Amino acid sequence: MSNSTESKRRALFCCHYARLGDVAEAARCAGYPPETAAADGAAILRQQCYRRMVANYRSVLHDDPAAAVRAGLERLAFGRSNDAIGLLLAEEPPGAAAVQALDLFPVSSVKRDKNGGMEIHFFDRLKALTALYEYGGDADGKAAAHALLTALSGREAVDSDAED
């Protein structure tokens, strides 16, 4: 791999790490092999220039709480559920390393019954889309955060006017 390509991949890792906060997941998102993702990500973070890059991305992403909430809602609303479906359809339970490589962000819970069956519950995409629509425009950070928490909890939103 050329130096330029590897530099771009490391920058991509930094962006994903700033957004996700998980070294292994960020490295996988940047294209590093799942088997070595955690070690590859840690090696990148040992270099000062990449730690600065992560700090810069975080300042951009987290200076606006509404943007972070919007990113979470977008991930719930538009994210892929392939890993969860693959887990459900697998004939044998995956090992710990394989589970760590899965993107289970849209999953709210996983249950296994005594007969070996599996039940997977997903966060409600429609609620996430509704929250994006309602709070996406010029909503302040507090309202957007409330929308995310409501979507994640699965509860119905409470109208503040109705409480008065």
Side-chain angles (χ1 to χ4, degrees), residues 88 109-113 116-121:
L88 182 65
S109 67
V110 177
K111 297 178 184 175
R112 185 173 289 283
D113 65 23
M118 184 181 299
E119 188 176 309
I120 297 179
H121 295 259

Side-chain angles (χ1 to χ4, degrees), residues 8 23 34 38 43 53 75 94 102 118 133 137 147 157 161-162:
K8 288 177 185 176
V23 173
M53 189 179 290
R75 195 166 174 204
L102 298 175
M118 184 181 299
Y133 178 75
D161 293 336

Side-chain angles (χ1 to χ4, degrees), residues 17-35:
Y17 182 62
R19 186 175 59 87
L20 300 169
D22 183 303
V23 173
E25 185 176 359
R28 286 190 304 274
C29 288
Y32 290 92
E35 308 79 45

Side-chain angles (χ1 to χ4, degrees), residues 26-82:
R28 286 190 304 274
C29 288
Y32 290 92
E35 308 79 45
T36 63
D40 292 335
I44 293 168
L45 291 175
R46 282 191 206 99
Q47 298 177 45
Q48 180 65 29
C49 63
Y50 293 113
R51 286 196 307 271
R52 276 194 305 270
M53 189 179 290
V54 169
N56 289 337
Y57 281 129
R58 279 187 176 153
S59 71
V60 169
L61 293 171
H62 300 296
D63 276 353
D64 179 10
V69 169
R70 228 178 353 265
L73 286 170
E74 287 171 358
R75 195 166 174 204
L76 285 176
F78 304 115
R80 298 172 49 140
S81 55
N82 296 13

Side-chain angles (χ1 to χ4, degrees), residues 80-91:
R80 298 172 49 140
S81 55
N82 296 13
D83 286 349
I85 300 302
L87 179 64
L88 182 65
L89 297 176
E91 292 190 21

